[in-house]
Structure formats: C-alpha cells, structure tokens
C-alpha cells in the first residue's frame, strides 16, 4: 500500500505496489506535503497554512484537525505512540499518545526562524527523541533533556 499527496488537497492511493492509483480528494485546500499511516485505517496528512487532516477509514473520509499554527507543515512521522510534525517558522509539534493529542514544542531559536523539512523519531534508552532538520540546521528534542536544564 502507498499514499501520495499534493496540490489542492489531492490524495492518491495504491493497493497494488504502484501499478495503479486511485485519486481521492480531501477538498479544495492548500497543498499537502506529507502523509503518514499508523495502520491500514488510521493516517494523517499535513500541508500548507497549518492544514492537518485525520482519516480513520483508510482514506475514504478525512476530518480536519486543528493545530495552533498557520505555518506550512512539511512532515509528519510516527513511531508507536510518539510522533512529530515539523514546518515553517521553527514549528514542531509532538504527540505521545498515538496522535490523539498534539502539543507545540517550544524551542530556543533565534530570528529568522528556520523551516524544518524532515523529522525522525529515534528510540534508544529513552522513550523517544525527535530529530529534525532543514535550512542548514539539524536539531534534536527530547523532554528528558529539557527537564535537565536549569
């Protein structure tokens, strides 16, 4: 199975390894930049102007979700219950409950604020660390490190 997203809320789905695609539309929305499916049924897409959508039925229907941003959201990724969304203006959101709740990650960034294009969840001895990068910058974030700061 595979998914592709693009301009005007277009979502493409393949169930045959890319031999054919079904065109689904979320609606007339800004461009979509990233798609991630946690299961065959549950997935999210992110896009321009803070666009954020959830499907619980394998992409047949999509529910608009609200995040407190108008920044372009370029990447969504998950690993088990830990997830991250990154985008323009140094925007980073995280979830620790499989995408039910998302919280803004406050970073100590200097102006001009960078855009982040990619993110990964790294698991080792801690519950999860978010590594993200873009515009000549790579950063990492873990709540454990934030708690250790004076």
């Amino acid at each position: 199975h595979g998914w592709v997203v693009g301009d005007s809320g277009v979502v493409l789905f393949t169930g045959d390894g890319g031999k054919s695609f079904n065109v689904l539309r979320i609606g007339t929305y800004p461009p979509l930049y990233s798609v991630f499916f946690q299961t065959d049924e549950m997935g999210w897409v992110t896009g321009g102007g803070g666009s954020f959508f959830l499907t619980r039925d394998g992409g047949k229907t999509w529910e608009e979700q609200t995040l407190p941003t108008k920044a372009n959201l370029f990447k969504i990724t998950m690993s088990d219950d830990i997830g991250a969304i990154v985008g323009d203006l140094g925007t980073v959101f995280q979830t620790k409950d499989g995408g039910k709740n998302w919280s803004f990650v406050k970073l100590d960034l200097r102006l001009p604020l960078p855009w982040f294009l990619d993110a990964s969840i790294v698991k080792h001895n801690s519950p999860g660390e978010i590594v993200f990068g873009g515009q000549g910058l790579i950063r990492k974030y873990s709540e454990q490190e934030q708690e250790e700061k004076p």
Side-chain angles (χ1 to χ4, degrees), residues 88-91 107-115 135:
D88 274 341
L89 305 173
T91 301
L107 300 172
D108 184 22
L109 298 172
R110 294 189 181 115
L111 294 174
L113 295 174
W115 39 260
Q135 198 172 2

Side-chain angles (χ1 to χ4, degrees), residues 122-137:
V122 179
K123 291 187 171 187
H124 40 81
N125 293 334
S126 67
E129 183 174 79
I130 304 168
V131 177
F132 44 92
Q135 198 172 2
L137 177 68

Side-chain angles (χ1 to χ4, degrees), residues 53-94:
F53 298 90
L54 164 69
T55 183
R56 299 171 201 263
D57 59 10
K60 294 180 184 94
T61 61
W62 295 85
E63 304 167 31
E64 189 165 8
Q65 304 291 291
T66 303
L67 290 175
T69 187
K70 293 295 180 195
N72 294 324
L73 302 174
F74 295 124
K75 178 73 173 188
I76 181 169
T77 189
M78 301 279 289
S79 178
D80 300 322
D81 284 342
I82 307 296
I85 297 171
V86 298
D88 274 341
L89 305 173
T91 301
V92 179
F93 289 92
Q94 74 169 357

Side-chain angles (χ1 to χ4, degrees), residues 21 26-27 34 38 44 58 60 62 65 68 77 105 119-120 122 139 141:
F21 283 87
I26 292 176
S34 184
Q38 185 79 343
W44 299 267
K60 294 180 184 94
W62 295 85
Q65 304 291 291
T77 189
V105 174
S120 294
V122 179
R139 292 282 305 255
Y141 172 82

Side-chain angles (χ1 to χ4, degrees), residues 1-3 13 36-43 55-60 62:
H1 291 114
W3 298 86
F13 169 74
F36 187 90
F37 271 77
Q38 185 79 343
T39 66
D40 286 345
E41 298 296 313
M42 189 165 170
T55 183
R56 299 171 201 263
D57 59 10
K60 294 180 184 94
W62 295 85

